[in-house]
Amino acid sequence: MKRKIAAIFAADIAGYSRLVAEDEEETLRRLAAYREVVDDFIARAGGRIFNTAGDAVLAEFPSAVEAVRCAIDIQESLRTRNMAFPPTRQMSYRIGITIGDVVERDGDLLGDGVNIAARLEGLADVGGICISRAVHEQVANKLSVQFADMGAREVKNIPTPVHAYRVAMRREDGTYAPPQDKTTKSGGVRRLIVMAAASVAALVAIAAGTAFYLDSYGPQPARRDAAKAAAEALARLSGKPASPSPGPTAVAAAATPEPAASPVAAQPGPAPSTSSASAERFTPEAVPFVSERTRIALARDYVPAPAHKAFATTINGVSAYVTGQSSEDAAKAAALEQCQQRAETSNGPRKCELYAVGDSVVYAHSKPPLPPQPWVRHDPATERAFSAAEMPLVRDTGRARLEANYGSARRTKAIALGPGGQFFYSVGGDLVDDVVRRNLEACGAQAGTACLIVALDDAFVVPVPAVMKATGFFHAASHTAIAAEARDEVARRLAGAASGWNAIAVGTAGHPGYGLNGDREETAVGGALADCSTRDQDCRVIAIGPFTVEDN
C-alpha cells in the first residue's frame, strides 16, 4: 500500500433512485451520456477516476484548483443539458471535494480523504459543489467564483467536524448566484468506499473560456441569440462540430471557443505587421490569444495527431482545430469553417485565420507585441478604485461600454490599453496571469504596438492622472521636448523609481525636472516643476506615471 496526498472529488446524482423508478430505461440512457461528459472533463483536467458505482464517481486530482475548476465545468455543462428536460426529470450531480491523506491499493484509494469528500458531497446543493477548508485555502484567490462559509459541520463517521464551503454556481441567465447556506442529505457516494468498478474511457469535450471584449468606435452588433447559444453549447458538449466537417474520418474539437457576454464591434487601429508564411514549428505554449486550457488541449490532441490537420483562431481566442482530414486543403477549410461558425456567434472580432497547418505555423502576422515583464505591478500608493469615467485616452463611447460591461462584471477581469486609445478587456476569467497575457496579446495585435494593463479587477493598477489629461504613452528615449543628452538619464531615473507617483517636467531648453516616489499625484507634479525651475525656465509637466500629459 502507498500513501499520498491528493485532492479527492466525489459526485453522485441527486434523487437517482426516484429517477430510475419513474423511467428506468431513459434514466440509464441519460446517465451513460452524462457520464461521458463527467469522465471527459475529469480526464482533461488531469484527474483519474478510481472508483464508480451506479450513479456515483470518485476521482483524484493532483491539484485542488483543477479539481474545483473541473467540478464547475461539469456542473455548468450538465446544467445546459438539463435545460431540455422538465424540472422533475433533470439529472443533477452533487459534488464534494477535499484534500487529504489517502492509501492507494490496487488502483483504489481509501482513507479519511475519501470519506470526507463523500460527506461534503452530501452537504452540497443539487447541481452544486461543496469543498473543505483545505481546498478553499488553495483556490480562493485563484478561481473567479464566490464561496459561502458553512462553518464546521458534524458528519457521519468522521470524528472531528468538517469545515465546509459552498461554491457559487451560474444561473440560467449567465450570472452567479451567491451560494445559500442550506444542507441536504448525503447520497450514494458512500457506497464507493467499499465498491470498486472499472473507469470509463474519456471522450472529447470543450473547455469554457474567458469572455473577451474589444472596444470600438463603430456600431455595436446585436446580442447573441440565447437559443442559438444554447444549441451551440449542446453541440460542444456532445463533442460534435457545429457543422459537418469535410473528410470521412474528421475529428474536430473547439480550442476554447470563448463566448462573449455583451455587444462589441471591431476596433479601428493599425494592422499588425505581416510576413510570409512562417516555417516555425508549431508549439502549443507559443500560441497567442487562447487560454491555457486551449494550449493544453492542443498539446494533448493536436500535436500527436498525424496529418492532415489544421488550427484556426481569432485575436479574441475563438478557435477550432481539426485532425484526420482527407487532405491538407480539407483540413484548412474545415478548421476555418468551424472557427468562423463559432466566431459568428461571439461578440468579438469575427475574422478567423489559420495559425497552423500540420506541424507548421502559417500565421500571416508577426507575434503580437508585448511589454516587458512584470505586466502588473501592485503599488498601494497609486492604486485606486476603477472608474470608467476616468479611463485615460479612451473616447466617451468606449467609457460608456466600460461603464456598462466592465464595472459590475465578475472577476477575474482586466483592461489592456494602447497608446492610441485602443483597449481590449475581458471578464470572468480564472487565472490572473492568463487573463493579463491574453488581453495584452489581443490589444497588441490590434494596436500594432505594446499595450499596458491599466486595470485589474476593480482597481487601476497604474498611476492614472487626474490633475492633468493623459494624451499618450510616455517614452523618455524618444520624447522630443527633452534635451537629447538628458533622455537616457530620465529613463534611468524613472526605472529606479519603482513605487509612488512620478512626474517629469521640462523647460524651454529641454532640461528635465523630477518629482519621483511621491505619495500623491500633486506631490509629484509640484516636485517636478520645482526641480525643473532650478535649471530651466517656463517649466511644464510632460509626464505623469506612464502617460504623457497636458493641461485639462
Side-chain angles (χ1 to χ4, degrees):
M1 292 189 297
K2 183 177 81 172
R3 304 194 74 92
K4 62 180 179 181
I5 301 294
I8 305 299
F9 166 112
D12 83 2
I13 293 173
Y16 180 71
S17 298
R18 176 187 60 80
L19 293 169
V20 171
E22 290 176 355
D23 190 338
E24 180 179 14
E25 192 171 302
E26 188 260 351
T27 298
L28 293 175
R29 179 184 58 80
R30 285 178 55 202
L31 173 63
Y34 281 29
R35 276 294 308 275
E36 288 180 354
V37 175
V38 171
D39 295 3
D40 186 44
F41 273 116
I42 290 173
R44 285 176 174 268
R48 179 184 74 90
I49 296 175
F50 63 86
N51 216 327
T52 63
D55 61 310
V57 179
L58 282 174
E60 64 167 331
F61 291 81
S63 162
V65 172
E66 291 300 324
V68 175
R69 183 185 285 120
C70 175
I72 293 170
D73 288 344
I74 288 170
Q75 296 292 40
E76 293 187 356
S77 298
L78 296 186
R79 178 181 59 82
T80 303
R81 290 199 165 205
N82 276 328
M83 290 169 61
F85 299 91
T88 57
R89 293 302 303 165
Q90 291 184 1
M91 188 176 289
S92 300
Y93 278 90
R94 296 188 182 100
I95 300 176
I97 304 172
T98 191
I99 298 174
D101 187 274
V102 293
V103 174
E104 183 173 4
R105 185 174 63 189
D106 297 328
D108 199 0
L109 298 182
L110 306 171
D112 280 347
V114 180
N115 295 339
I116 291 172
R119 303 307 173 214
L120 290 167
E121 175 273 327
L123 296 175
D125 297 321
V126 175
I129 304 163
C130 187
I131 63 176
S132 68
R133 180 164 58 185
V135 173
H136 180 263
E137 291 172 352
Q138 293 292 317
V139 306
N141 296 320
K142 299 182 178 70
L143 296 177
S144 55
V145 293
Q146 297 179 351
F147 303 88
D149 189 345
M150 299 168 61
R153 296 299 182 99
E154 297 281 350
V155 294
K156 185 177 179 181
N157 296 332
I158 304 297
T160 58
V162 176
H163 199 120
Y165 292 79
R166 278 195 178 86
V167 180
M169 296 306 299
R170 194 189 300 265
R171 299 185 181 103
E172 288 189 7
D173 63 1
T175 62
Y176 279 78
Q180 301 298 315
D181 186 13
K182 61 181 183 179
T183 60
T184 56
K185 294 183 180 181
S186 63
V189 171
R190 62 174 63 93
R191 298 193 302 273
L192 297 177
I193 300 170
V194 295
M195 298 179 65
S199 299
V200 179
L203 300 177
V204 176
I206 305 307
T210 308
F212 269 75
Y213 307 79
L214 182 65
D215 173 54
S216 76
Y217 306 138
Q220 294 182 350
R223 288 187 181 271
R224 67 187 298 183
D225 181 79
K228 187 175 183 181
E232 180 192 20
L234 287 171
R236 293 201 304 269
L237 286 172
S238 68
K240 298 177 181 178
S243 66
S245 300
T249 59
V251 178
T256 315
E258 317 298 356
S262 71
V264 293
Q267 164 73 28
S273 60
T274 59
S275 61
S276 60
S278 171
E280 175 188 353
R281 185 170 181 82
F282 177 80
T283 54
E285 59 270 19
V287 177
F289 313 130
V290 301
S291 68
E292 286 302 316
R293 288 192 176 194
T294 296
R295 289 176 167 182
I296 292 170
L298 288 166
R300 182 188 61 245
D301 300 332
Y302 184 88
V303 171
H308 300 282
K309 58 187 178 181
F311 168 62
T313 187
T314 68
I315 68 169
N316 69 324
V318 176
S319 54
Y321 59 84
V322 296
T323 64
Q325 299 290 306
S326 59
S327 67
E328 184 177 285
D329 287 343
K332 291 190 288 187
L336 283 171
E337 178 187 5
Q338 292 181 37
C339 178
Q340 199 63 52
Q341 287 174 349
R342 295 180 179 110
E344 289 299 326
T345 62
S346 74
N347 291 328
R350 299 187 176 190
K351 182 182 178 183
C352 287
E353 298 183 76
L354 285 171
Y355 183 86
V357 176
D359 295 319
S360 297
V361 174
V362 298
Y363 194 53
H365 308 276
S366 58
K367 296 287 187 183
L370 293 174
Q373 299 239 34
W375 291 331
V376 177
R377 290 180 177 175
H378 291 285
D379 184 356
T382 59
E383 286 189 19
R384 57 192 174 91
F386 171 79
S387 168
E390 298 175 28
M391 184 72 182
L393 308 182
V394 175
R395 298 182 185 181
D396 289 341
T397 52
R399 292 190 178 104
R401 272 189 288 279
L402 286 171
E403 180 68 32
N405 301 319
Y406 183 87
S408 60
R410 69 182 182 93
R411 302 182 178 186
T412 295
K413 54 187 178 180
I415 307 173
L417 176 70
Q422 310 93 341
F423 66 95
F424 205 96
Y425 67 101
S426 66
V427 303
D430 289 330
L431 302 176
V432 171
D433 291 345
D434 205 28
V435 169
V436 166
R437 170 184 62 80
R438 296 176 64 197
N439 275 283
L440 287 172
E441 288 173 338
C443 179
Q446 196 68 29
T449 187
C451 293
L452 174 73
I453 294 294
V454 295
L456 181 63
D457 289 331
D458 298 312
F460 284 122
V461 291
V462 296
V464 175
V467 300
M468 300 187 75
K469 178 183 177 181
T471 59
F473 287 0
F474 178 66
H475 300 288
S478 59
H479 202 292
T480 57
I482 306 172
E485 66 274 11
R487 293 171 189 170
D488 287 346
E489 176 67 11
V490 173
R492 184 187 66 79
R493 293 190 62 174
L494 284 175
S499 64
W501 288 88
N502 299 320
I504 301 296
V506 295
T508 54
H511 298 307
Y514 302 92
L516 305 179
N517 304 118
D519 59 346
R520 294 184 304 124
E521 181 182 1
E522 294 83 356
T523 303
V525 168
L529 289 170
D531 187 45
C532 175
S533 66
T534 64
R535 58 180 71 103
D536 210 333
Q537 58 185 354
D538 294 331
C539 292
R540 71 188 193 280
V541 175
I542 61 170
I544 297 175
F547 301 101
T548 57
V549 294
E550 62 183 25
D551 291 335
N552 283 315

